[in-house]
Amino acid sequence: RLAHEQRRTEANCDVSYKFLIFKENQHEIFEACKLAKSLGVNTFHARPASYAHQGMKEKIENPYNMQLIEEQFKQCRELEDDNFSVYLVVHKFNPDFSTKRNFTQCWTGPICIQLCADGNVYNCPDSRHLEEFKLGSHYPDPNEILNIWGSKKHYDLVFDKACKICDWRCTFGHYNKQFEDLFVNGKDNLCRNFV
């Protein structure tokens, strides 16, 4: 009904079908993509679940049948047309969907504050469930943020403790890699000196 209403009203928005790949449903990707297209949605997004990410009770190393998944990805791509696009969100993972770590330091965590509904301030979006990554509380006094953010505790967490204990898929991994390439390794891929 949502896809139908979007077309009927010519609304300037996309209706998407998102599919999170687990070991239990990895054989259903193409069927889900066909269903998405038949429903009339604009886009189909598929990405693997990270078994080394927040909230997962146990770490499971590579539970995926990569050949099966790649075949289905190819089939999904064949369904694309002017009205239906497929997005395979795999850039935060290695080819086998294991955690990608192509940087040595959390460079971007300090530029994106995590103020959570539980009243606490955390180091980054991926650590907002862990007590050791809690920096303090913004509730009931939001002015406490000024004492927390940029403090010695914050600095020590980002540049010492965090990288030693963080081993899950990083939301900011791509940015960490860009920062490291530019500011540490001197690779100017961002062309900041193009003038």
PDB file of all heavy atoms in Angstrom, residues 75-111:
ATOM      1  N   GLN A  75      21.947 -12.174  -9.297  1.00  0.00           N
ATOM      2  CA  GLN A  75      20.543 -12.287  -9.714  1.00  0.00           C
ATOM      3  C   GLN A  75      19.762 -11.024  -9.361  1.00  0.00           C
ATOM      4  O   GLN A  75      18.926 -10.562 -10.134  1.00  0.00           O
ATOM      5  CB  GLN A  75      19.894 -13.510  -9.063  1.00  0.00           C
ATOM      6  CG  GLN A  75      20.406 -14.836  -9.563  1.00  0.00           C
ATOM      7  CD  GLN A  75      19.814 -15.981  -8.766  1.00  0.00           C
ATOM      8  OE1 GLN A  75      19.890 -16.015  -7.535  1.00  0.00           O
ATOM      9  NE2 GLN A  75      19.205 -16.925  -9.474  1.00  0.00           N
ATOM     10  N   CYS A  76      20.020 -10.471  -8.185  1.00  0.00           N
ATOM     11  CA  CYS A  76      19.343  -9.240  -7.774  1.00  0.00           C
ATOM     12  C   CYS A  76      19.666  -8.101  -8.728  1.00  0.00           C
ATOM     13  O   CYS A  76      18.774  -7.340  -9.131  1.00  0.00           O
ATOM     14  CB  CYS A  76      19.757  -8.856  -6.345  1.00  0.00           C
ATOM     15  SG  CYS A  76      19.113  -9.947  -5.052  1.00  0.00           S
ATOM     16  N   ARG A  77      20.929  -7.979  -9.101  1.00  0.00           N
ATOM     17  CA  ARG A  77      21.341  -6.920 -10.030  1.00  0.00           C
ATOM     18  C   ARG A  77      20.599  -7.028 -11.369  1.00  0.00           C
ATOM     19  O   ARG A  77      20.308  -6.025 -12.011  1.00  0.00           O
ATOM     20  CB  ARG A  77      22.844  -6.979 -10.275  1.00  0.00           C
ATOM     21  CG  ARG A  77      23.664  -6.534  -9.101  1.00  0.00           C
ATOM     22  CD  ARG A  77      23.805  -5.040  -9.149  1.00  0.00           C
ATOM     23  NE  ARG A  77      24.732  -4.587  -8.123  1.00  0.00           N
ATOM     24  CZ  ARG A  77      24.520  -3.528  -7.387  1.00  0.00           C
ATOM     25  NH1 ARG A  77      23.434  -2.825  -7.538  1.00  0.00           N
ATOM     26  NH2 ARG A  77      25.390  -3.165  -6.494  1.00  0.00           N
ATOM     27  N   GLU A  78      20.294  -8.246 -11.773  1.00  0.00           N
ATOM     28  CA  GLU A  78      19.597  -8.459 -13.050  1.00  0.00           C
ATOM     29  C   GLU A  78      18.151  -7.964 -13.003  1.00  0.00           C
ATOM     30  O   GLU A  78      17.530  -7.765 -14.042  1.00  0.00           O
ATOM     31  CB  GLU A  78      19.656  -9.938 -13.442  1.00  0.00           C
ATOM     32  CG  GLU A  78      21.065 -10.389 -13.811  1.00  0.00           C
ATOM     33  CD  GLU A  78      21.207 -11.892 -13.970  1.00  0.00           C
ATOM     34  OE1 GLU A  78      20.209 -12.638 -13.774  1.00  0.00           O
ATOM     35  OE2 GLU A  78      22.338 -12.338 -14.269  1.00  0.00           O
ATOM     36  N   LEU A  79      17.618  -7.741 -11.803  1.00  0.00           N
ATOM     37  CA  LEU A  79      16.250  -7.228 -11.660  1.00  0.00           C
ATOM     38  C   LEU A  79      16.176  -5.709 -11.772  1.00  0.00           C
ATOM     39  O   LEU A  79      15.087  -5.144 -11.853  1.00  0.00           O
ATOM     40  CB  LEU A  79      15.659  -7.656 -10.313  1.00  0.00           C
ATOM     41  CG  LEU A  79      15.406  -9.143 -10.102  1.00  0.00           C
ATOM     42  CD1 LEU A  79      14.860  -9.385  -8.697  1.00  0.00           C
ATOM     43  CD2 LEU A  79      14.452  -9.680 -11.149  1.00  0.00           C
ATOM     44  N   GLU A  80      17.324  -5.041 -11.764  1.00  0.00           N
ATOM     45  CA  GLU A  80      17.329  -3.579 -11.794  1.00  0.00           C
ATOM     46  C   GLU A  80      16.785  -3.055 -13.119  1.00  0.00           C
ATOM     47  O   GLU A  80      16.995  -3.625 -14.177  1.00  0.00           O
ATOM     48  CB  GLU A  80      18.749  -3.032 -11.575  1.00  0.00           C
ATOM     49  CG  GLU A  80      19.251  -3.221 -10.168  1.00  0.00           C
ATOM     50  CD  GLU A  80      20.585  -2.547  -9.937  1.00  0.00           C
ATOM     51  OE1 GLU A  80      21.585  -2.960 -10.566  1.00  0.00           O
ATOM     52  OE2 GLU A  80      20.622  -1.596  -9.130  1.00  0.00           O
ATOM     53  N   ASP A  81      16.057  -1.951 -13.005  1.00  0.00           N
ATOM     54  CA  ASP A  81      15.574  -1.233 -14.180  1.00  0.00           C
ATOM     55  C   ASP A  81      15.406   0.236 -13.801  1.00  0.00           C
ATOM     56  O   ASP A  81      15.872   0.655 -12.747  1.00  0.00           O
ATOM     57  CB  ASP A  81      14.277  -1.851 -14.732  1.00  0.00           C
ATOM     58  CG  ASP A  81      13.138  -1.874 -13.719  1.00  0.00           C
ATOM     59  OD1 ASP A  81      13.074  -0.975 -12.855  1.00  0.00           O
ATOM     60  OD2 ASP A  81      12.292  -2.789 -13.798  1.00  0.00           O
ATOM     61  N   ASP A  82      14.747   1.008 -14.631  1.00  0.00           N
ATOM     62  CA  ASP A  82      14.589   2.438 -14.364  1.00  0.00           C
ATOM     63  C   ASP A  82      13.790   2.727 -13.098  1.00  0.00           C
ATOM     64  O   ASP A  82      13.891   3.820 -12.531  1.00  0.00           O
ATOM     65  CB  ASP A  82      13.912   3.134 -15.552  1.00  0.00           C
ATOM     66  CG  ASP A  82      14.813   3.185 -16.777  1.00  0.00           C
ATOM     67  OD1 ASP A  82      16.045   3.010 -16.613  1.00  0.00           O
ATOM     68  OD2 ASP A  82      14.301   3.389 -17.879  1.00  0.00           O
ATOM     69  N   ASN A  83      12.985   1.767 -12.645  1.00  0.00           N
ATOM     70  CA  ASN A  83      12.123   1.986 -11.483  1.00  0.00           C
ATOM     71  C   ASN A  83      12.547   1.209 -10.232  1.00  0.00           C
ATOM     72  O   ASN A  83      11.909   1.327  -9.190  1.00  0.00           O
ATOM     73  CB  ASN A  83      10.684   1.607 -11.836  1.00  0.00           C
ATOM     74  CG  ASN A  83      10.144   2.437 -12.970  1.00  0.00           C
ATOM     75  OD1 ASN A  83      10.245   3.662 -12.947  1.00  0.00           O
ATOM     76  ND2 ASN A  83       9.610   1.782 -13.988  1.00  0.00           N
ATOM     77  N   PHE A  84      13.597   0.406 -10.363  1.00  0.00           N
ATOM     78  CA  PHE A  84      13.989  -0.462  -9.253  1.00  0.00           C
ATOM     79  C   PHE A  84      15.507  -0.573  -9.201  1.00  0.00           C
ATOM     80  O   PHE A  84      16.139  -0.968 -10.180  1.00  0.00           O
ATOM     81  CB  PHE A  84      13.361  -1.845  -9.419  1.00  0.00           C
ATOM     82  CG  PHE A  84      13.642  -2.798  -8.287  1.00  0.00           C
ATOM     83  CD1 PHE A  84      13.050  -2.626  -7.047  1.00  0.00           C
ATOM     84  CD2 PHE A  84      14.508  -3.871  -8.467  1.00  0.00           C
ATOM     85  CE1 PHE A  84      13.315  -3.502  -6.002  1.00  0.00           C
ATOM     86  CE2 PHE A  84      14.770  -4.761  -7.437  1.00  0.00           C
ATOM     87  CZ  PHE A  84      14.169  -4.572  -6.192  1.00  0.00           C
ATOM     88  N   SER A  85      16.075  -0.216  -8.040  1.00  0.00           N
ATOM     89  CA  SER A  85      17.527  -0.272  -7.858  1.00  0.00           C
ATOM     90  C   SER A  85      17.877  -1.198  -6.704  1.00  0.00           C
ATOM     91  O   SER A  85      17.123  -1.325  -5.740  1.00  0.00           O
ATOM     92  CB  SER A  85      18.081   1.123  -7.557  1.00  0.00           C
ATOM     93  OG  SER A  85      17.831   2.004  -8.625  1.00  0.00           O
ATOM     94  N   VAL A  86      19.047  -1.810  -6.822  1.00  0.00           N
ATOM     95  CA  VAL A  86      19.549  -2.726  -5.800  1.00  0.00           C
ATOM     96  C   VAL A  86      20.821  -2.133  -5.209  1.00  0.00           C
ATOM     97  O   VAL A  86      21.731  -1.733  -5.940  1.00  0.00           O
ATOM     98  CB  VAL A  86      19.844  -4.110  -6.406  1.00  0.00           C
ATOM     99  CG1 VAL A  86      20.546  -5.015  -5.399  1.00  0.00           C
ATOM    100  CG2 VAL A  86      18.564  -4.760  -6.921  1.00  0.00           C
ATOM    101  N   TYR A  87      20.869  -2.059  -3.877  1.00  0.00           N
ATOM    102  CA  TYR A  87      22.043  -1.576  -3.166  1.00  0.00           C
ATOM    103  C   TYR A  87      22.556  -2.677  -2.258  1.00  0.00           C
ATOM    104  O   TYR A  87      21.835  -3.143  -1.376  1.00  0.00           O
ATOM    105  CB  TYR A  87      21.718  -0.325  -2.343  1.00  0.00           C
ATOM    106  CG  TYR A  87      21.317   0.843  -3.200  1.00  0.00           C
ATOM    107  CD1 TYR A  87      19.977   1.137  -3.416  1.00  0.00           C
ATOM    108  CD2 TYR A  87      22.282   1.635  -3.799  1.00  0.00           C
ATOM    109  CE1 TYR A  87      19.598   2.204  -4.219  1.00  0.00           C
ATOM    110  CE2 TYR A  87      21.916   2.711  -4.605  1.00  0.00           C
ATOM    111  CZ  TYR A  87      20.576   2.985  -4.808  1.00  0.00           C
ATOM    112  OH  TYR A  87      20.214   4.033  -5.606  1.00  0.00           O
ATOM    113  N   LEU A  88      23.776  -3.088  -2.496  1.00  0.00           N
ATOM    114  CA  LEU A  88      24.410  -4.118  -1.687  1.00  0.00           C
ATOM    115  C   LEU A  88      25.429  -3.411  -0.804  1.00  0.00           C
ATOM    116  O   LEU A  88      26.479  -2.983  -1.264  1.00  0.00           O
ATOM    117  CB  LEU A  88      25.054  -5.161  -2.592  1.00  0.00           C
ATOM    118  CG  LEU A  88      24.086  -5.753  -3.632  1.00  0.00           C
ATOM    119  CD1 LEU A  88      24.819  -6.630  -4.612  1.00  0.00           C
ATOM    120  CD2 LEU A  88      22.950  -6.493  -2.958  1.00  0.00           C
ATOM    121  N   VAL A  89      25.089  -3.259   0.443  1.00  0.00           N
ATOM    122  CA  VAL A  89      25.857  -2.433   1.365  1.00  0.00           C
ATOM    123  C   VAL A  89      26.913  -3.309   2.039  1.00  0.00           C
ATOM    124  O   VAL A  89      26.687  -3.864   3.109  1.00  0.00           O
ATOM    125  CB  VAL A  89      24.932  -1.763   2.396  1.00  0.00           C
ATOM    126  CG1 VAL A  89      25.701  -0.782   3.253  1.00  0.00           C
ATOM    127  CG2 VAL A  89      23.771  -1.064   1.689  1.00  0.00           C
ATOM    128  N   VAL A  90      28.057  -3.428   1.386  1.00  0.00           N
ATOM    129  CA  VAL A  90      29.096  -4.332   1.876  1.00  0.00           C
ATOM    130  C   VAL A  90      30.443  -3.629   2.065  1.00  0.00           C
ATOM    131  O   VAL A  90      31.433  -4.281   2.381  1.00  0.00           O
ATOM    132  CB  VAL A  90      29.259  -5.547   0.934  1.00  0.00           C
ATOM    133  CG1 VAL A  90      27.980  -6.377   0.911  1.00  0.00           C
ATOM    134  CG2 VAL A  90      29.634  -5.111  -0.470  1.00  0.00           C
ATOM    135  N   HIS A  91      30.490  -2.327   1.913  1.00  0.00           N
ATOM    136  CA  HIS A  91      31.765  -1.605   1.962  1.00  0.00           C
ATOM    137  C   HIS A  91      32.410  -1.580   3.342  1.00  0.00           C
ATOM    138  O   HIS A  91      33.590  -1.287   3.459  1.00  0.00           O
ATOM    139  CB  HIS A  91      31.585  -0.176   1.451  1.00  0.00           C
ATOM    140  CG  HIS A  91      30.667   0.657   2.284  1.00  0.00           C
ATOM    141  ND1 HIS A  91      29.294   0.558   2.180  1.00  0.00           N
ATOM    142  CD2 HIS A  91      30.912   1.576   3.237  1.00  0.00           C
ATOM    143  CE1 HIS A  91      28.739   1.389   3.037  1.00  0.00           C
ATOM    144  NE2 HIS A  91      29.692   2.022   3.695  1.00  0.00           N
ATOM    145  N   LYS A  92      31.674  -1.888   4.392  1.00  0.00           N
ATOM    146  CA  LYS A  92      32.236  -1.888   5.744  1.00  0.00           C
ATOM    147  C   LYS A  92      32.767  -3.259   6.143  1.00  0.00           C
ATOM    148  O   LYS A  92      33.131  -3.480   7.285  1.00  0.00           O
ATOM    149  CB  LYS A  92      31.179  -1.453   6.758  1.00  0.00           C
ATOM    150  CG  LYS A  92      30.704  -0.029   6.571  1.00  0.00           C
ATOM    151  CD  LYS A  92      29.628   0.315   7.569  1.00  0.00           C
ATOM    152  CE  LYS A  92      29.093   1.713   7.335  1.00  0.00           C
ATOM    153  NZ  LYS A  92      27.996   2.038   8.238  1.00  0.00           N
ATOM    154  N   PHE A  93      32.807  -4.177   5.182  1.00  0.00           N
ATOM    155  CA  PHE A  93      33.196  -5.553   5.458  1.00  0.00           C
ATOM    156  C   PHE A  93      34.281  -6.004   4.499  1.00  0.00           C
ATOM    157  O   PHE A  93      34.413  -5.476   3.398  1.00  0.00           O
ATOM    158  CB  PHE A  93      31.984  -6.488   5.307  1.00  0.00           C
ATOM    159  CG  PHE A  93      30.847  -6.155   6.231  1.00  0.00           C
ATOM    160  CD1 PHE A  93      29.856  -5.275   5.849  1.00  0.00           C
ATOM    161  CD2 PHE A  93      30.778  -6.720   7.489  1.00  0.00           C
ATOM    162  CE1 PHE A  93      28.806  -4.953   6.693  1.00  0.00           C
ATOM    163  CE2 PHE A  93      29.733  -6.409   8.350  1.00  0.00           C
ATOM    164  CZ  PHE A  93      28.753  -5.522   7.953  1.00  0.00           C
ATOM    165  N   ASN A  94      35.043  -7.018   4.910  1.00  0.00           N
ATOM    166  CA  ASN A  94      35.967  -7.698   4.011  1.00  0.00           C
ATOM    167  C   ASN A  94      35.148  -8.551   3.047  1.00  0.00           C
ATOM    168  O   ASN A  94      33.943  -8.759   3.272  1.00  0.00           O
ATOM    169  CB  ASN A  94      36.931  -8.568   4.821  1.00  0.00           C
ATOM    170  CG  ASN A  94      37.893  -7.728   5.637  1.00  0.00           C
ATOM    171  OD1 ASN A  94      38.434  -6.738   5.148  1.00  0.00           O
ATOM    172  ND2 ASN A  94      38.099  -8.111   6.884  1.00  0.00           N
ATOM    173  N   PRO A  95      35.770  -9.074   1.990  1.00  0.00           N
ATOM    174  CA  PRO A  95      35.005  -9.883   1.016  1.00  0.00           C
ATOM    175  C   PRO A  95      34.258 -11.069   1.620  1.00  0.00           C
ATOM    176  O   PRO A  95      33.259 -11.511   1.065  1.00  0.00           O
ATOM    177  CB  PRO A  95      36.085 -10.351   0.027  1.00  0.00           C
ATOM    178  CG  PRO A  95      37.123  -9.281   0.088  1.00  0.00           C
ATOM    179  CD  PRO A  95      37.146  -8.833   1.537  1.00  0.00           C
ATOM    180  N   ASP A  96      34.713 -11.579   2.772  1.00  0.00           N
ATOM    181  CA  ASP A  96      34.012 -12.698   3.415  1.00  0.00           C
ATOM    182  C   ASP A  96      33.040 -12.225   4.501  1.00  0.00           C
ATOM    183  O   ASP A  96      32.541 -13.021   5.285  1.00  0.00           O
ATOM    184  CB  ASP A  96      35.010 -13.698   3.997  1.00  0.00           C
ATOM    185  CG  ASP A  96      35.831 -13.108   5.141  1.00  0.00           C
ATOM    186  OD1 ASP A  96      35.753 -11.880   5.392  1.00  0.00           O
ATOM    187  OD2 ASP A  96      36.551 -13.885   5.792  1.00  0.00           O
ATOM    188  N   PHE A  97      32.773 -10.900   4.532  1.00  0.00           N
ATOM    189  CA  PHE A  97      31.874 -10.254   5.495  1.00  0.00           C
ATOM    190  C   PHE A  97      32.421 -10.228   6.910  1.00  0.00           C
ATOM    191  O   PHE A  97      31.690  -9.951   7.850  1.00  0.00           O
ATOM    192  CB  PHE A  97      30.474 -10.864   5.499  1.00  0.00           C
ATOM    193  CG  PHE A  97      29.687 -10.648   4.240  1.00  0.00           C
ATOM    194  CD1 PHE A  97      28.544 -11.377   4.004  1.00  0.00           C
ATOM    195  CD2 PHE A  97      30.072  -9.716   3.298  1.00  0.00           C
ATOM    196  CE1 PHE A  97      27.796 -11.189   2.848  1.00  0.00           C
ATOM    197  CE2 PHE A  97      29.331  -9.525   2.137  1.00  0.00           C
ATOM    198  CZ  PHE A  97      28.194 -10.266   1.916  1.00  0.00           C
ATOM    199  N   SER A  98      33.682 -10.503   7.067  1.00  0.00           N
ATOM    200  CA  SER A  98      34.287 -10.331   8.387  1.00  0.00           C
ATOM    201  C   SER A  98      34.516  -8.833   8.618  1.00  0.00           C
ATOM    202  O   SER A  98      34.439  -8.024   7.695  1.00  0.00           O
ATOM    203  CB  SER A  98      35.599 -11.115   8.486  1.00  0.00           C
ATOM    204  OG  SER A  98      36.530 -10.651   7.515  1.00  0.00           O
ATOM    205  N   THR A  99      34.810  -8.474   9.857  1.00  0.00           N
ATOM    206  CA  THR A  99      34.987  -7.068  10.219  1.00  0.00           C
ATOM    207  C   THR A  99      36.172  -6.463   9.482  1.00  0.00           C
ATOM    208  O   THR A  99      37.270  -6.995   9.535  1.00  0.00           O
ATOM    209  CB  THR A  99      35.216  -6.943  11.737  1.00  0.00           C
ATOM    210  OG1 THR A  99      34.095  -7.501  12.421  1.00  0.00           O
ATOM    211  CG2 THR A  99      35.389  -5.494  12.144  1.00  0.00           C
ATOM    212  N   LYS A 100      35.933  -5.345   8.794  1.00  0.00           N
ATOM    213  CA  LYS A 100      37.000  -4.651   8.068  1.00  0.00           C
ATOM    214  C   LYS A 100      37.689  -3.678   9.011  1.00  0.00           C
ATOM    215  O   LYS A 100      37.053  -2.840   9.631  1.00  0.00           O
ATOM    216  CB  LYS A 100      36.421  -3.886   6.875  1.00  0.00           C
ATOM    217  CG  LYS A 100      37.493  -3.181   6.045  1.00  0.00           C
ATOM    218  CD  LYS A 100      36.861  -2.352   4.949  1.00  0.00           C
ATOM    219  CE  LYS A 100      37.028  -3.030   3.630  1.00  0.00           C
ATOM    220  NZ  LYS A 100      36.508  -2.225   2.521  1.00  0.00           N
ATOM    221  N   ARG A 101      39.009  -3.809   9.107  1.00  0.00           N
ATOM    222  CA  ARG A 101      39.824  -2.905   9.914  1.00  0.00           C
ATOM    223  C   ARG A 101      40.998  -2.439   9.066  1.00  0.00           C
ATOM    224  O   ARG A 101      42.066  -3.031   9.093  1.00  0.00           O
ATOM    225  CB  ARG A 101      40.375  -3.624  11.140  1.00  0.00           C
ATOM    226  CG  ARG A 101      39.418  -3.736  12.246  1.00  0.00           C
ATOM    227  CD  ARG A 101      39.218  -2.393  12.856  1.00  0.00           C
ATOM    228  NE  ARG A 101      38.358  -2.557  14.003  1.00  0.00           N
ATOM    229  CZ  ARG A 101      37.875  -1.576  14.683  1.00  0.00           C
ATOM    230  NH1 ARG A 101      38.149  -0.358  14.359  1.00  0.00           N
ATOM    231  NH2 ARG A 101      37.096  -1.787  15.700  1.00  0.00           N
ATOM    232  N   ASN A 102      40.796  -1.399   8.285  1.00  0.00           N
ATOM    233  CA  ASN A 102      41.877  -0.896   7.434  1.00  0.00           C
ATOM    234  C   ASN A 102      42.383   0.456   7.941  1.00  0.00           C
ATOM    235  O   ASN A 102      42.819   1.298   7.181  1.00  0.00           O
ATOM    236  CB  ASN A 102      41.428  -0.813   5.980  1.00  0.00           C
ATOM    237  CG  ASN A 102      40.208   0.065   5.785  1.00  0.00           C
ATOM    238  OD1 ASN A 102      39.624   0.559   6.751  1.00  0.00           O
ATOM    239  ND2 ASN A 102      39.827   0.271   4.548  1.00  0.00           N
ATOM    240  N   PHE A 103      42.321   0.650   9.250  1.00  0.00           N
ATOM    241  CA  PHE A 103      42.828   1.846   9.910  1.00  0.00           C
ATOM    242  C   PHE A 103      43.349   1.416  11.275  1.00  0.00           C
ATOM    243  O   PHE A 103      43.006   0.350  11.777  1.00  0.00           O
ATOM    244  CB  PHE A 103      41.731   2.908  10.056  1.00  0.00           C
ATOM    245  CG  PHE A 103      40.508   2.409  10.779  1.00  0.00           C
ATOM    246  CD1 PHE A 103      40.384   2.548  12.155  1.00  0.00           C
ATOM    247  CD2 PHE A 103      39.483   1.787  10.088  1.00  0.00           C
ATOM    248  CE1 PHE A 103      39.268   2.070  12.826  1.00  0.00           C
ATOM    249  CE2 PHE A 103      38.359   1.306  10.752  1.00  0.00           C
ATOM    250  CZ  PHE A 103      38.248   1.454  12.126  1.00  0.00           C
ATOM    251  N   THR A 104      44.192   2.254  11.870  1.00  0.00           N
ATOM    252  CA  THR A 104      44.817   1.865  13.135  1.00  0.00           C
ATOM    253  C   THR A 104      44.253   2.595  14.343  1.00  0.00           C
ATOM    254  O   THR A 104      44.507   2.204  15.473  1.00  0.00           O
ATOM    255  CB  THR A 104      46.336   2.138  13.097  1.00  0.00           C
ATOM    256  OG1 THR A 104      46.542   3.543  12.907  1.00  0.00           O
ATOM    257  CG2 THR A 104      47.006   1.357  11.987  1.00  0.00           C
ATOM    258  N   GLN A 105      43.501   3.662  14.109  1.00  0.00           N
ATOM    259  CA  GLN A 105      43.076   4.534  15.196  1.00  0.00           C
ATOM    260  C   GLN A 105      41.668   5.068  14.935  1.00  0.00           C
ATOM    261  O   GLN A 105      41.305   5.303  13.790  1.00  0.00           O
ATOM    262  CB  GLN A 105      44.066   5.705  15.296  1.00  0.00           C
ATOM    263  CG  GLN A 105      43.686   6.793  16.271  1.00  0.00           C
ATOM    264  CD  GLN A 105      43.667   6.317  17.708  1.00  0.00           C
ATOM    265  OE1 GLN A 105      44.602   5.696  18.165  1.00  0.00           O
ATOM    266  NE2 GLN A 105      42.608   6.599  18.412  1.00  0.00           N
ATOM    267  N   CYS A 106      40.918   5.277  15.995  1.00  0.00           N
ATOM    268  CA  CYS A 106      39.612   5.923  15.884  1.00  0.00           C
ATOM    269  C   CYS A 106      39.835   7.428  15.757  1.00  0.00           C
ATOM    270  O   CYS A 106      40.099   8.112  16.738  1.00  0.00           O
ATOM    271  CB  CYS A 106      38.776   5.617  17.130  1.00  0.00           C
ATOM    272  SG  CYS A 106      37.188   6.454  17.138  1.00  0.00           S
ATOM    273  N   TRP A 107      39.750   7.925  14.534  1.00  0.00           N
ATOM    274  CA  TRP A 107      39.981   9.351  14.279  1.00  0.00           C
ATOM    275  C   TRP A 107      38.683  10.144  14.251  1.00  0.00           C
ATOM    276  O   TRP A 107      38.681  11.340  14.503  1.00  0.00           O
ATOM    277  CB  TRP A 107      40.702   9.541  12.947  1.00  0.00           C
ATOM    278  CG  TRP A 107      41.989   8.818  12.855  1.00  0.00           C
ATOM    279  CD1 TRP A 107      42.236   7.649  12.192  1.00  0.00           C
ATOM    280  CD2 TRP A 107      43.227   9.178  13.470  1.00  0.00           C
ATOM    281  NE1 TRP A 107      43.536   7.261  12.352  1.00  0.00           N
ATOM    282  CE2 TRP A 107      44.177   8.194  13.130  1.00  0.00           C
ATOM    283  CE3 TRP A 107      43.629  10.250  14.273  1.00  0.00           C
ATOM    284  CZ2 TRP A 107      45.490   8.239  13.555  1.00  0.00           C
ATOM    285  CZ3 TRP A 107      44.950  10.298  14.700  1.00  0.00           C
ATOM    286  CH2 TRP A 107      45.862   9.307  14.346  1.00  0.00           C
ATOM    287  N   THR A 108      37.583   9.516  13.931  1.00  0.00           N
ATOM    288  CA  THR A 108      36.340  10.253  13.702  1.00  0.00           C
ATOM    289  C   THR A 108      35.359  10.189  14.860  1.00  0.00           C
ATOM    290  O   THR A 108      34.449  11.012  14.925  1.00  0.00           O
ATOM    291  CB  THR A 108      35.645   9.755  12.421  1.00  0.00           C
ATOM    292  OG1 THR A 108      35.464   8.346  12.516  1.00  0.00           O
ATOM    293  CG2 THR A 108      36.475  10.076  11.200  1.00  0.00           C
ATOM    294  N   GLY A 109      35.523   9.247  15.769  1.00  0.00           N
ATOM    295  CA  GLY A 109      34.642   9.172  16.931  1.00  0.00           C
ATOM    296  C   GLY A 109      34.520  10.497  17.667  1.00  0.00           C
ATOM    297  O   GLY A 109      33.418  10.906  18.039  1.00  0.00           O
ATOM    298  N   PRO A 110      35.631  11.207  17.877  1.00  0.00           N
ATOM    299  CA  PRO A 110      35.559  12.462  18.632  1.00  0.00           C
ATOM    300  C   PRO A 110      34.824  13.603  17.926  1.00  0.00           C
ATOM    301  O   PRO A 110      34.579  14.632  18.533  1.00  0.00           O
ATOM    302  CB  PRO A 110      37.036  12.838  18.830  1.00  0.00           C
ATOM    303  CG  PRO A 110      37.788  11.575  18.659  1.00  0.00           C
ATOM    304  CD  PRO A 110      37.005  10.767  17.679  1.00  0.00           C
ATOM    305  N   ILE A 111      34.470  13.430  16.664  1.00  0.00           N
ATOM    306  CA  ILE A 111      33.781  14.536  15.980  1.00  0.00           C
ATOM    307  C   ILE A 111      32.273  14.305  15.865  1.00  0.00           C
ATOM    308  O   ILE A 111      31.575  15.075  15.224  1.00  0.00           O
ATOM    309  CB  ILE A 111      34.390  14.834  14.588  1.00  0.00           C
ATOM    310  CG1 ILE A 111      34.246  13.651  13.655  1.00  0.00           C
ATOM    311  CG2 ILE A 111      35.838  15.256  14.716  1.00  0.00           C
ATOM    312  CD1 ILE A 111      34.687  13.940  12.227  1.00  0.00           C
TER     313      ILE A 111
END
